[in-house]
Amino acid sequence: MTRDGLFRFGGEFLDPVRETAFREARLAETLRQCRLLFLFSVVLNSLFLVSDWRFHGTPHFYVAIPARLLVVAGSIVALALLHHARTVAQTERVMVFWQAVTAGGIAVLVSSRSDLALFVVLLLPSIFYLVVAMSFRLTLTMGAMCSALMLIGYLGAGPYPETLPGLLLVVFLMNCALGLVVVHANRLRRTEWLATQAERTAKDALAVSQEMIERLFMAVPIPLVVAARDDGRFLRGNDAARRYFGKDLAERQIRDVLFDPEIRRRIDAVLYERDRIVGQEAQVLDAGGAVRDVLVTATTLETDDTPAVVAGIVDITDRKAAEARTRRQATHDTLTGLPNRLFFQERLREVLDGVAGPGGGACLFLIDLDDFKSVNDTLGHDAGDELLFQAAARLAARAEPEDFVARLGGDEFIVLTGLLLTPDEALAKAEGLLDALRAPCEHGGQTISPRASIGIALAPQHDEDAVELMKDADLALYRAKAEGRGIALVYEGSMRAAMLRRVAVCRGLASALLENRIEPFYQPQVDLETGRITGFEVLARWRHSERGIIPAAAFQEGFDDPEIAAGITDAIVAGTLRDLRSWLDSGHAVGHVSVNLAASVFRDAALAERLLARLDSAGVPTRHVSVEVTESVLLTRNADEAARVLSTLREAGLRVALDDFGTGYASLTHLRRFPVDAIKIDRSFVSHLEAEGEDAAIVRALVHLAADLGLEVIAEGIETEAQEAALRAFGCRIGQGYRYARPVPAGRVPWLLELPRLPAEPMRGGIVAA
């Protein structure tokens, strides 16, 4: 053992493991060679022993017989010792013993200097060098020692031949040559052994690799198949493939499981072009004959000179089913089962893509359930859900093959028709939808009578863009709601103009609120008998930077926006309370001041509490403040909340007046249901009093009705003395209008209060605003 724990053999190094293997192999080989050599020595020397009896009686006989007997005995002893050798070292010691005995015996034999003695001296060392299987060092050492021993035996005590120097030189050169032969043979033998071992190791590794590949192929949990390219026969299949396609897989072909010819052609084309295919979706028949969705990944290969395809198959049936469920959840409404807004928008774009073609068209029916919130509030959300479900079912049942019904959210539905319709045809279809929705439905023993409004937009007549067409339908729906609900309207261009105006007005009002340019103006309410001011109505005015003072009628659209309406109300209330506190502090008898409350502000559940808190904070007694509401407040879905707010204010001492009475859709029962102290007769009735026609009869009836109910009557829009006289004759006591004064800013109110009566002389046409 030498450097780094390696063994040297024949001038080269072996690692310990390979050295051990080599030694074991060499031991077996050495034992075999030694046995043969020892037996050969016994047999050969025995023959020579018999042959040497011919020299009986000569001096040579007495030298040859003992020498032969010594060699034979040494070989026999070596054979016996070899039987007990278990290691290479033990075997080599036996070999050293045999060589020493043999060399000694031959040295004695050649001392006779017979004719063959010199030949033996030169020949026998070559046998020791080339035939005896020992380690490299021992081979060289024992060969040289045996050669020297036999040469010494040959020369003896003399006389020395004249050729002695040449003989010594020949023996030396022979030993050198034999040593080189041993070195070369040793290297060749080791190389041969290493090559044999390498080949054996490679074969073993190949067998292990093949076994591992086979085990991996069979153990892969997804089906793996090998099929012939020419006829599609299945050549191999792993365990998963046999479970998936059946145990008779080897008897089947690709077309038996991959039954779609188009997919087969596509896979063949891709494999022919690229030699592989990755993630190709297909449908196959499994062992039970069920159709399964799979992903196929395949590549070509050569097996026994047969073109083949190896393919891996991943079942994605469950994944696709989950994707379909996810897709449906993402594109359909959970409650009604109808397509949702996302799915509708996709379908709308598809339909509108075909509008440009000849005869192409589409029609949108945007449907909103009327008073849906009141159903939720009064009957509960279960009833509301039932109403939505029933509405969806009725729309779906009413739909024609070309219709697409969806729920956009809340109580909004939409029907998309992929046909070119005229406005009249669209209205007729919309009436059918309304009829389907009007039928009562039952829930929890309660009868629900649904109503709906519909906005209609046509393509390409109105728009071809999906977003704009939806805006058109929404504008038509907004107009249908404003005109009384329960109807269907087709979009008109004026609706968009009104919408743009409403947007512009709201934008301007939002800026005006931020800049405190919304302020109260005051129009006096006058006792028709005495001309004295009994109070004021507060009217909102917009002090515009370019247009000057703008009356509320010019920005009426802003009151439809809840945020804008709330902002205007807050600004007017704040200004009114500030002005009222100033007048009271100055000792002016202002009576009461009436503030108008828009219908949208009643969405605020804390409206009454907030208003009373502001009165208290400003130090204004409630008897000096009135609130006015229009009939529309009594008809909205917030009517119950409005009644509660008004009751709270009235109980706190505020007066409540019903403005524009007789112009809306309120019934007389509302006067009994809602807390009202006064009604205001609209100017549209007052303006025709001089004609003594139907308007005069209505005003007379309203005055008498109010008197019977104990309500105060205030007439609006009085402009002439004749109108004033007629109202006094009917029994109306309070009036307001341009005959007395136009709305004025807060700074002019003290001046008005100082006048003895209105109208003041000489300004018969009424006092103008300062």
Side-chain angles (χ1 to χ4, degrees):
M1 185 170 181
T2 59
R3 66 183 187 190
D4 301 326
L6 301 179
F7 291 89
R8 180 184 293 276
F9 177 71
E12 297 187 11
F13 290 95
L14 296 176
D15 60 82
V17 175
R18 295 174 64 193
E19 174 69 15
T20 300
F22 181 79
R23 285 182 181 277
E24 291 176 353
R26 196 179 70 173
L27 174 62
E29 180 184 0
T30 300
L31 289 173
R32 183 174 60 257
Q33 291 180 357
C34 288
R35 289 190 183 94
L36 292 175
L37 183 60
F38 296 165
L39 288 173
F40 178 75
S41 176
V42 170
V43 172
L44 180 64
N45 282 282
S46 296
L47 293 176
F48 281 137
L49 183 63
V50 173
S51 175
D52 286 340
W53 281 101
R54 70 179 185 274
F55 299 112
H56 186 270
T58 66
H60 178 72
F61 176 81
Y62 297 103
V63 174
I65 294 301
R68 298 290 186 190
L69 290 174
L70 178 62
V71 172
V72 172
S75 298
I76 293 172
V77 172
L79 275 173
L81 293 176
L82 191 65
H83 181 72
H84 299 284
R86 294 292 181 269
T87 64
V88 173
Q90 293 174 350
T91 305
E92 288 180 340
R93 284 195 292 270
V94 174
M95 291 296 298
V96 169
F97 166 77
W98 177 81
Q99 287 186 72
V101 172
T102 302
I106 298 300
V108 173
L109 182 64
V110 298
S111 62
S112 63
R113 295 187 181 182
S114 63
D115 295 339
L116 296 177
L118 184 59
F119 176 76
V120 172
V121 170
L122 297 178
L123 177 63
L124 189 59
S126 63
I127 295 175
F128 290 163
Y129 273 108
L130 302 179
V131 178
V132 177
M134 289 195 304
S135 66
F136 177 71
R137 290 188 182 90
L138 283 178
T139 299
L140 294 181
T141 301
M142 294 304 296
M145 290 177 61
C146 291
S147 178
L149 180 63
M150 286 185 290
L151 179 62
I152 293 171
Y154 176 76
L155 295 176
Y160 301 118
E162 296 179 356
T163 60
L164 178 61
L167 178 62
L168 294 176
L169 180 61
V170 168
V171 171
F172 175 75
L173 292 177
M174 182 192 67
N175 278 273
C176 291
L178 289 173
L180 293 176
V181 171
V182 169
V183 170
H184 180 67
N186 190 64
R187 288 181 178 275
L188 288 178
R189 185 173 59 177
R190 180 182 177 280
T191 302
E192 179 183 0
W193 181 85
L194 291 176
T196 302
Q197 289 298 108
E199 180 181 5
R200 184 179 303 165
T201 301
K203 288 182 178 179
D204 292 342
L206 180 61
V208 170
S209 176
Q210 289 176 337
E211 181 182 2
M212 182 178 296
I213 292 174
E214 178 68 15
R215 293 176 65 181
L216 287 176
F217 177 79
M218 299 302 292
V220 170
I222 65 172
L224 296 178
V225 295
V226 180
R229 286 289 302 271
D230 51 1
D231 57 4
R233 291 179 297 104
F234 286 113
L235 305 176
R236 289 291 307 280
N238 65 353
D239 291 339
R242 288 197 290 268
R243 287 193 301 268
Y244 195 79
F245 293 112
K247 295 185 181 301
D248 60 342
L249 181 64
E251 304 173 4
R252 306 173 71 184
Q253 296 180 332
I254 292 179
R255 62 172 174 267
D256 297 330
V257 297
L258 189 63
F259 55 87
D260 188 341
E262 181 61 31
I263 294 296
R264 291 205 305 271
R265 284 192 293 269
R266 187 183 308 168
I267 292 177
D268 287 340
V270 175
L271 286 175
Y272 180 80
E273 179 181 354
R274 306 177 188 172
D275 287 334
R276 64 178 303 168
I277 188 168
V278 178
Q280 172 66 52
E281 285 198 28
Q283 288 186 321
V284 299
L285 291 176
D286 65 8
V291 178
R292 308 289 293 182
D293 294 301
V294 297
L295 284 179
V296 178
T297 297
T299 185
T300 59
L301 75 160
E302 296 290 333
T303 58
D304 299 331
D305 299 328
T306 301
V309 176
V310 58
I313 299 168
V314 179
D315 192 302
I316 59 171
T317 306
D318 295 338
R319 190 185 80 184
K320 292 195 71 173
E323 289 175 352
R325 289 193 298 270
T326 302
R327 168 69 178 173
R328 179 169 181 83
Q329 291 172 356
T331 58
H332 285 72
D333 176 55
T334 305
L335 175 64
T336 64
L338 292 178
N340 60 11
R341 181 184 294 272
L342 176 64
F343 196 0
F344 163 73
Q345 289 173 341
E346 295 177 359
R347 184 60 177 270
L348 178 59
R349 284 192 292 268
E350 293 176 1
V351 172
L352 292 181
D353 286 343
V355 167
C363 182
L364 282 183
F365 299 88
L366 183 58
I367 305 165
D368 185 88
L369 300 181
D370 296 332
D371 296 324
F372 177 73
K373 184 177 183 300
S374 64
V375 175
N376 277 335
D377 294 342
T378 58
L379 301 179
H381 289 279
D382 288 345
D385 290 346
E386 180 64 22
L387 178 57
L388 292 173
F389 182 81
Q390 290 290 339
R394 293 175 185 184
L395 291 174
R398 189 81 180 194
E400 298 178 6
E402 65 274 6
D403 293 342
F404 182 84
V405 183
R407 181 191 177 196
L408 299 185
D411 58 349
E412 277 194 339
F413 297 86
I414 197 159
V415 176
L416 169 63
T417 299
L419 296 176
L420 180 62
L421 301 180
T422 65
D424 290 340
E425 292 171 338
L427 283 173
K429 185 177 182 67
E431 285 299 325
L433 297 175
L434 290 176
D435 288 341
L437 293 173
R438 288 190 186 108
C441 60
E442 297 287 335
H443 177 74
Q446 298 285 340
T447 299
I448 305 173
S449 299
R451 297 173 68 241
S453 301
I454 300 180
I456 304 171
L458 306 174
Q461 297 95 313
H462 298 147
D463 270 301
E464 295 184 18
D465 179 75
V467 175
E468 296 302 319
L469 196 65
M470 281 295 295
K471 288 181 181 178
D472 296 341
D474 194 52
L475 290 171
L477 176 62
Y478 180 85
R479 179 66 61 84
K481 291 281 190 180
E483 293 189 6
R485 307 184 179 188
I487 61 174
L489 289 180
V490 178
Y491 167 78
E492 297 176 357
S494 60
M495 297 178 183
R496 185 173 288 263
M499 182 270 293
L500 295 176
R501 170 179 166 78
R502 184 168 64 254
V503 171
V505 167
C506 289
R507 187 182 299 117
L509 286 172
S511 298
L513 288 169
L514 291 175
E515 299 169 4
N516 296 319
R517 289 189 279 108
I518 302 297
E519 55 188 70
F521 270 48
Y522 302 90
Q523 187 174 31
Q525 294 176 343
V526 179
D527 188 319
L528 298 183
E529 293 293 339
T530 65
R532 298 292 297 176
I533 296 176
T534 62
F536 294 87
E537 179 181 2
V538 183
L539 301 172
R541 291 294 184 264
W542 178 359
R543 190 176 294 277
H544 199 279
S545 58
E546 298 176 357
R547 298 167 56 189
I549 302 298
I550 301 177
F555 56 87
Q556 190 65 36
E557 297 91 340
F559 290 97
D560 294 332
D561 186 293
E563 293 185 5
I564 296 296
I568 294 174
T569 300
D570 287 343
I572 295 302
V573 169
T576 299
L577 295 180
R578 183 178 60 251
D579 295 337
L580 186 55
R581 185 66 263 171
S582 175
W583 299 329
L584 292 175
D585 290 343
S586 300
H588 295 291
V590 295
H592 61 270
V593 177
S594 297
V595 179
N596 289 283
L597 298 180
S600 57
V601 302
F602 286 95
R603 297 180 182 179
D604 181 6
L607 174 62
E609 290 74 14
R610 290 177 58 247
L611 184 56
L612 291 174
R614 298 182 71 171
L615 285 170
D616 183 66
S617 177
V620 175
T622 56
R623 67 178 181 275
H624 290 294
V625 179
S626 299
V627 294
E628 293 186 10
V629 296
T630 61
E631 291 182 354
S632 60
V633 174
L634 312 180
L635 301 174
T636 63
R637 60 182 65 181
N638 298 314
D640 292 338
E641 181 62 24
R644 188 194 65 80
V645 170
L646 295 176
S647 296
T648 302
L649 294 176
R650 193 163 181 262
E651 291 171 1
L654 279 74
R655 297 172 71 250
V656 177
L658 188 59
D659 197 9
D660 300 335
F661 188 77
T663 61
Y665 297 93
S667 65
L668 296 178
T669 58
H670 288 98
L671 295 178
R672 183 176 59 187
R673 178 183 175 189
F674 290 93
V676 175
D677 296 295
I679 60 174
K680 299 185 71 175
I681 301 175
D682 188 69
R683 67 181 66 248
S684 61
F685 297 112
V686 174
S687 62
H688 297 93
L689 285 180
E690 298 173 5
E692 287 293 334
E694 294 179 352
D695 288 339
I698 292 174
V699 171
R700 185 185 300 110
L702 290 177
V703 172
H704 291 163
L705 175 64
D708 292 340
L709 295 176
L711 303 177
E712 187 176 70
V713 177
I714 303 171
E716 296 181 300
I718 302 175
E719 297 182 357
T720 65
E721 185 177 356
Q723 292 170 353
E724 178 186 292
L727 288 168
R728 284 201 305 268
F730 294 156
C732 180
R733 193 174 67 85
I734 307 297
Q736 68 182 80
Y738 287 176
R739 172 170 170 73
Y740 312 106
R742 295 176 182 272
V744 298
R748 297 286 286 173
V749 169
W751 179 76
L752 285 175
L753 292 173
E754 293 174 358
L755 295 175
R757 64 173 292 123
L758 292 177
E761 295 291 349
M763 295 179 289
R764 286 289 183 180
I767 298 174
V768 298

